């Protein structure tokens, strides 16, 4: 038996933010990030709509990119004090992910961060509050998923929290919020969305219910991501829908080792002055993982189906896989994303010598590989890597060498 879970209500289209007026409750806390939602007026609109719904409103601001365990605990404490019956998270993946983790702690004060990280092991929620997610970026799709990513800066590792309990009750997918994204964010979140859809389609727990939104998302991203990056706002609107469809696919269809590797490399080199941004990590690793997974016959067949839907050509599945890999690499070129860690600059742009020194990467490689194998996303990958294979795969992602194993 499998499960397919979505928010109870999904409001979409321009002006969908106004759906906040329909929420029924007494107190709402808005969780928001670094300032863009305030700067562009969306935070004020959200507050006004919630007040029109008859609620007292509190705001928890300043959730950072790659939110920390400490931020989660501060937010949960603010919720304990305010006692909201609605948690409204507005912004990109970071504030929504953080708010999900705060929600767990608010409803279950005895729950530790370690408890939260037990895959599909969360206690029941909704005893105190319901959750509404409003997405402003077109990539993470956390507004419809059962996942949250929180960073423990003590060990430089991003931990996925995975449980259907944290699937939002209400999702608002209003493309007007995505019009404010800078180009680099469009590129990274867009490749994150493409990775979600491709990994969900080849996942070992895919189903007819997840295949359909995954394929539709891939088709839309193929046609819309580069124009969206180049400031075509109709394409930007389409990408906001596409990334949500990809989220619907992977929330129930799960992901694979592209995400496992991205989670474990994202913050592990922070002592050298930067993070490997999640969407950029996915973009770099995706072609390598496709080549690795395609050694498994069922995965190769399904990558071939993806290539067919994209009209990439190819006389057989081997050619189709090669064309899919070439397409992904071509997207990186058009979006100014490097092909490997060695050439990943501290600003995320391609450079001859990236911010991660070779000797540091090699020294940390065994630990990164071990943690990637243990990541929650690895279990649904179509080919299970050994420690040796994961290390070899990560080396290919560092040097941009071919995967021949």
């Amino acid at each position: 038996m499998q499960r397919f879970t979505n928010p109870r209500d999904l409001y979409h289209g321009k002006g969908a933010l106004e759906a906040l007026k329909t929420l029924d409750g007494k107190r709402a806390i808005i969780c928001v990030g670094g300032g863009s939602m305030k700067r562009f007026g969306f935070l004020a609109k959200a507050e006004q709509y919630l007040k029109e719904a008859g609620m007292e409103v509190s705001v928890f601001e300043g959730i950072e990119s790659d939110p920390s365990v400490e931020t989660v605990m501060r937010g949960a404490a603010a919720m304990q004090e305010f006692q909201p019956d609605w948690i409204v998270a507005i912004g990109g993946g970071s504030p929504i992910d953080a708010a999900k983790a705060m929600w767990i702690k608010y409803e279950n004060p005895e729950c530790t961060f370690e408890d939260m990280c037990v895959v599909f092991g969360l206690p029941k929620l909704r005893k105190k509050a319901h959750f509404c997610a409003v997405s402003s970026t077109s990539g993470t799709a956390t507004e419809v998923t059962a996942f949250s990513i929180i960073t423990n800066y003590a060990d430089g590792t991003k931990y996925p929290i995975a449980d259907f309990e944290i699937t939002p009750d209400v999702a608002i997918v209003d493309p007007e919020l995505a019009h404010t994204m800078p180009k680099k964010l469009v590129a990274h979140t867009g490749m994150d969305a493409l990775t979600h859809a491709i990994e969900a389609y080849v996942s070992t727990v895919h189903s007819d219910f997840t295949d359909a939104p995954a394929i539709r998302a891939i088709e839309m991203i193929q046609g819309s991501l580069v124009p969206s990056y180049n400031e075509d706002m109709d394409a930007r609107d389409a990408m906001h829908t596409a990334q949500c469809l990809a989220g619907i696919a992977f929330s129930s269809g799960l992901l694979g080792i592209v995400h496992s590797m991205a989670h474990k490399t994202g913050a592990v080199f922070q002592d050298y002055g930067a993070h490997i941004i999640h969407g950029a990590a996915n973009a770099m690793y995706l072609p390598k993982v496709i080549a690795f997974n395609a050694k498994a016959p069922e995965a190769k067949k399904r990558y071939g189906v993806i290539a067919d839907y994209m009209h990439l050509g190819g006389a057989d599945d081997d050619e189709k896989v090669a064309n899919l890999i070439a397409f992904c690499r071509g997207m990186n070129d058009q979006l100014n994303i490097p092909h490997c860690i060695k050439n990943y600059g501290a600003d995320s742009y391609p450079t001859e010598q990236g911010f991660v020194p070779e000797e540091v990467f090699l020294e940390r490689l065994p630990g990164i590989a071990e943690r990637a194998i243990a990541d929650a996303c690895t279990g649904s990958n179509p080919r299970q890597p050994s420690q040796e294979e994961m290390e070899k795969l990560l080396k290919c992602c560092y040097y941009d060498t071919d995967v021949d194993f």
Side-chain angles (χ1 to χ4, degrees), residues 25 33 78 86 135 160 168 205 223 246 250 269:
W86 273 100
S135 57
V205 296
F250 90 79
F269 305 109

Side-chain angles (χ1 to χ4, degrees), residues 203-220:
S203 159
T204 57
V205 296
H206 74 86
S207 69
D208 291 338
F209 296 94
T210 61
D211 286 351
I215 285 294
R216 180 58 180 150
I218 291 166
E219 290 176 326
M220 292 182 72

Side-chain angles (χ1 to χ4, degrees), residues 187-195 225 279 282-283 328 331-332 335 337:
H188 294 162
T189 56
M191 289 304 291
D192 191 19
L194 180 63
T195 305
L225 177 51
N282 283 341
C328 294
M331 289 290 280
N332 290 351
L335 299 171
I337 296 173

Side-chain angles (χ1 to χ4, degrees), residues 5 8 19 24 55 61 68 77 88 95 112 182 185 201 204 221 227 230 239 247 270 290 356 371 384:
T5 300
R8 182 184 183 279
D24 184 18
M55 285 192 253
E61 296 185 71
S68 66
V88 177
T112 66
L185 188 59
Y201 193 77
T204 57
I221 293 166
N230 291 323
M239 275 302 302
Q270 61 178 322
I290 291 173
V356 181
R371 291 190 292 275
Q384 290 298 299

Side-chain angles (χ1 to χ4, degrees), residues 118-132:
V118 176
V119 178
F120 293 98
L122 289 180
K124 292 291 184 183
L125 301 180
R126 298 170 178 81
K127 301 185 297 289
K128 295 182 179 180
H130 287 82
F131 194 99
C132 174

Side-chain angles (χ1 to χ4, degrees), residues 9-326:
D9 293 300
L10 193 158
Y11 297 94
H12 58 96
K14 291 182 178 179
L17 186 63
E18 195 169 347
L20 290 173
K21 290 180 181 180
T22 69
L23 301 186
D24 184 18
K26 296 180 179 178
R27 284 182 297 279
I29 187 167
I30 301 175
C31 299
V32 70
S36 64
M37 291 297 95
K38 178 184 284 188
R39 193 162 59 251
F40 293 110
F42 295 115
L43 176 58
K45 279 187 179 181
E47 287 186 81
Q48 182 58 39
Y49 291 150
L50 290 167
K51 288 175 180 176
E52 288 182 37
M55 285 192 253
E56 182 183 350
V57 180
S58 177
V59 177
F60 183 86
E61 296 185 71
I63 297 171
E64 72 274 37
S65 298
D66 303 309
S68 66
V69 177
E70 291 75 18
T71 296
V72 167
M73 296 308 167
R74 285 193 299 106
M79 290 177 187
Q80 287 288 359
E81 182 176 348
F82 185 63
Q83 291 290 303
D85 46 22
W86 273 100
I87 298 165
V88 177
I90 180 169
S94 294
I96 298 174
D97 280 2
K100 287 179 176 179
M102 294 170 191
W103 184 25
I104 299 167
K105 183 72 173 176
Y106 168 51
E107 298 241 0
N108 299 278
E110 73 287 350
C111 193
T112 66
F113 180 67
E114 290 71 23
D115 294 333
M116 295 181 194
C117 294
V118 176
V119 178
F120 293 98
L122 289 180
K124 292 291 184 183
L125 301 180
R126 298 170 178 81
K127 301 185 297 289
K128 295 182 179 180
H130 287 82
F131 194 99
C132 174
V134 186
S135 57
S136 68
T137 60
S138 302
T140 69
T142 189
E143 73 275 5
V144 292
T145 76
F147 300 96
S148 165
I149 306 298
I150 304 299
T151 302
N152 184 350
Y153 287 91
D155 62 9
T157 300
K158 296 184 178 184
Y159 289 91
I161 300 171
D163 198 293
F164 288 118
E165 282 295 315
I166 59 171
T167 305
D169 300 286
V170 176
I172 296 176
V173 185
D174 186 335
E176 291 182 337
L177 277 69
H179 287 186
T180 63
M181 286 194 296
K183 289 186 71 169
K184 181 161 71 171
L185 188 59
V186 172
H188 294 162
T189 56
M191 289 304 291
D192 191 19
L194 180 63
T195 305
H196 290 156
I198 290 175
E199 289 209 293
Y201 193 77
V202 301
S203 159
T204 57
V205 296
H206 74 86
S207 69
D208 291 338
F209 296 94
T210 61
D211 286 351
I215 285 294
R216 180 58 180 150
I218 291 166
E219 290 176 326
M220 292 182 72
I221 293 166
Q222 180 184 18
S224 300
L225 177 51
V226 172
S228 173
Y229 178 73
N230 291 323
E231 310 290 354
D232 179 331
M233 290 303 154
D234 289 336
R236 187 78 55 91
D237 293 351
M239 275 302 302
H240 210 47
T241 297
Q243 64 86 31
C244 186
L245 289 170
I248 289 169
F250 90 79
S251 186
S252 296
L254 305 184
L255 294 167
I257 58 173
V258 178
H259 273 77
S260 303
M261 295 157 63
H263 293 155
K264 304 319 177 194
T265 54
V268 75
F269 305 109
Q270 61 178 322
D271 52 330
Y272 282 81
H275 283 199
I276 301 176
I277 296 170
H278 179 71
N282 283 341
M284 292 189 294
Y285 306 162
L286 179 59
K288 307 303 183 189
V289 170
I290 291 173
F292 176 79
N293 284 342
K295 303 295 191 294
E298 179 63 19
K300 180 193 289 188
K301 179 180 175 182
R302 292 187 70 80
Y303 286 131
V305 172
I306 291 172
D308 285 342
Y309 272 102
M310 298 174 73
H311 305 288
L312 298 180
D316 55 28
D317 284 337
D318 287 323
E319 288 188 8
K320 291 173 185 178
V321 168
N323 291 343
L324 179 59
I325 289 170

Side-chain angles (χ1 to χ4, degrees), residues 340-347 349-359 361 398-399:
C340 62
I341 299 171
K342 178 175 175 286
N343 299 131
Y344 184 94
D347 58 2
Y349 292 123
T351 183
E352 186 172 341
Q353 180 55 58
F355 83 94
V356 181
E358 180 181 21
E359 64 276 12
F361 172 80
Y398 184 85
Y399 297 108

